[in-house]
Amino acid sequence: MKMKRILAAMAASAMLFSMAGCSNDSGSAGGTSANNGGGDAGAAGGSDKVYNIGICQLVEHPALDAATEGFMTALKDKLGDSVKFDNQNAQNEATNCTTICNNFVSSNVDLIMANATGSLQAASSATSSIPIVGTSITNYATAMGVADWVEMKGKNITGTSDLAPIEEQENMIVELFPEVKQVGILYCSAEANSKYQATLMEAALTADGIAYKEYSVADSNEIQAMTTTAVSECDVLYIPTDNTIANATETVKNVVVPANIPVIAGEEGICQGCGVASLSISYYDIGYKAGEMAYDILVNGKNAGDMDIEFAPKVEKKYNAEICQSLGITPPEDYVEIAE
């Protein structure tokens, strides 16, 4: 609950004392509330203001977890004990995202952090006034169903993107598998940003004269069957940053490794689960940047809708040593092994 400073005569002091001890925790279905503070007390410029932040994370996954950690750390570094978080996980359910974000609005949080596309969509539907900072969003225009992000300028949304250069990912396919004839693109059709990445990959493959075929699943129940079909028809699979696939990498691994079919992944977490290589960004870094953007909104008075979407400052070629060894693949020297 927002702390309210009451400047009144002595007769109102009793009311001020009673309000100072109040708190308001926003509950929700599909997540566990956690208030976390840290750093140096008084870091918010000596003010007794406490900023209440609602975090809606779509699903538990190492990449998204790292983004949330980075976001919280950035704000604790800058605000110390003057920030509290209600950190909720929607367990990959859109209805939970809606419930969580509506509860944040009812609790009148100062800002909502939306981690992944489903969370951003729910937060946007829940409020047009509370600032929203997204992270782990591939393309904000696609996520919000607009043709161009310019249409959203001046509104209450900004954030950081997890998009790694698709053309460079396609270059990795050519570099590692120069004899490739057909690439299978595996993703969840319910995730708009996955389709966006698939379209970019198709254009890059076409430019190099490489055939491709899409293999889209509606949900996790279809992953095993669709992956089995894909490995029977393709030389290499490409999986973009996709939350549904990321939550089922063991299923994919159990199909592709026995079939001796390599996977190039859009992000490190998927690669660690079932891939051979990835052009990786740091999700912690984009989360931390999102936290810095949130600070500018909360403390420096910036308007979210006037702030540009930020991207990862660097990318890195990484490989999964275990699966590379299983498939007999030796990555080039400029590839870095993914730490266990």
Side-chain angles (χ1 to χ4, degrees):
M1 167 181 182
K2 291 185 174 180
M3 296 293 293
K4 297 183 178 179
R5 179 172 295 178
I6 302 175
L7 301 177
M10 185 177 299
S13 63
M15 181 182 298
L16 176 62
F17 180 80
S18 65
M19 290 181 66
C22 292
S23 66
N24 185 8
D25 296 327
S26 58
S28 71
T32 302
S33 174
N35 285 336
N36 301 282
D40 299 325
S47 170
D48 61 357
K49 166 73 177 178
V50 174
Y51 297 94
N52 289 284
I53 312 297
I55 298 174
C56 180
Q57 180 174 322
L58 178 64
V59 66
E60 185 177 356
H61 178 265
L64 302 188
D65 294 347
T68 293
E69 180 186 357
F71 176 83
M72 295 171 66
T73 300
L75 283 173
K76 287 188 286 186
D77 284 348
K78 290 180 175 295
L79 293 171
D81 291 329
S82 296
V83 63
K84 291 185 177 180
F85 302 100
D86 188 356
N87 185 9
Q88 303 279 338
N89 191 298
Q91 305 301 325
N92 209 25
E93 292 289 342
T95 54
N96 287 343
C97 286
T98 299
T99 300
I100 290 167
C101 291
N102 285 340
N103 284 341
F104 288 159
V105 174
S106 297
S107 299
N108 198 28
V109 297
D110 294 292
L111 182 141
I112 296 173
M113 192 277 259
N115 192 344
T117 299
S119 298
L120 180 70
Q121 292 167 337
S124 176
S125 296
T127 179
S128 60
S129 57
I130 295 174
I132 300 168
V133 176
T135 192
S136 312
I137 314 293
T138 303
N139 181 276
Y140 280 73
T142 301
M144 297 307 302
V146 297
D148 193 299
W149 190 241
V150 173
E151 295 182 34
M152 301 297 292
K153 279 292 186 179
K155 298 186 184 291
N156 63 324
I157 299 172
T158 190
T160 57
S161 170
D162 63 357
L163 180 64
I166 299 295
E167 287 188 358
E168 292 184 35
Q169 294 180 43
E170 192 268 346
N171 287 341
M172 293 174 69
I173 295 175
V174 175
E175 178 181 41
L176 294 172
F177 312 106
E179 302 301 319
V180 63
K181 291 182 172 55
Q182 178 155 290
V183 175
I185 303 173
L186 178 66
Y187 67 95
C188 178
S189 59
E191 299 190 31
N193 276 316
S194 297
K195 174 60 178 176
Y196 172 77
Q197 292 169 83
T199 300
L200 294 180
M201 176 57 71
E202 289 165 6
L205 290 167
T206 298
D208 277 335
I210 300 172
Y212 63 82
K213 186 174 180 180
E214 287 191 7
Y215 299 87
S216 62
V217 299
D219 54 43
S220 59
N221 295 323
E222 299 180 358
I223 292 175
Q224 182 174 357
M226 191 62 72
T227 305
T228 300
T229 299
V231 300
S232 70
E233 300 174 346
C234 301
D235 311 301
V236 177
L237 298 189
Y238 170 71
I239 301 175
T241 55
D242 183 291
N243 294 301
T244 302
I245 306 295
N247 213 31
T249 55
E250 189 69 20
T251 300
V252 176
K253 178 182 178 181
N254 289 339
V255 175
V256 298
V257 172
N260 203 38
I261 297 296
V263 171
I264 298 297
E267 59 94 7
E268 182 177 325
I270 295 175
C271 185
Q272 190 169 28
C274 64
V276 298
S278 174
L279 189 67
S280 182
I281 68 167
S282 167
Y283 275 79
Y284 179 90
D285 286 351
I286 63 170
Y288 196 96
K289 181 60 181 179
E292 292 179 326
M293 297 170 77
Y295 176 83
D296 279 339
I297 293 167
L298 295 168
V299 178
N300 297 330
K302 288 192 175 181
N303 179 39
D306 295 332
M307 300 171 72
D308 291 335
I309 302 300
E310 299 283 350
F311 293 82
K314 60 182 180 179
V315 294
E316 191 172 30
K317 293 179 178 179
K318 292 197 171 183
Y319 72 95
N320 181 326
E322 177 194 349
I323 296 182
C324 281
Q325 183 176 8
S326 297
L327 301 185
I329 297 169
T330 302
E333 293 184 357
D334 60 335
Y335 283 64
V336 177
E337 180 180 348
I338 297 174
E340 293 184 2

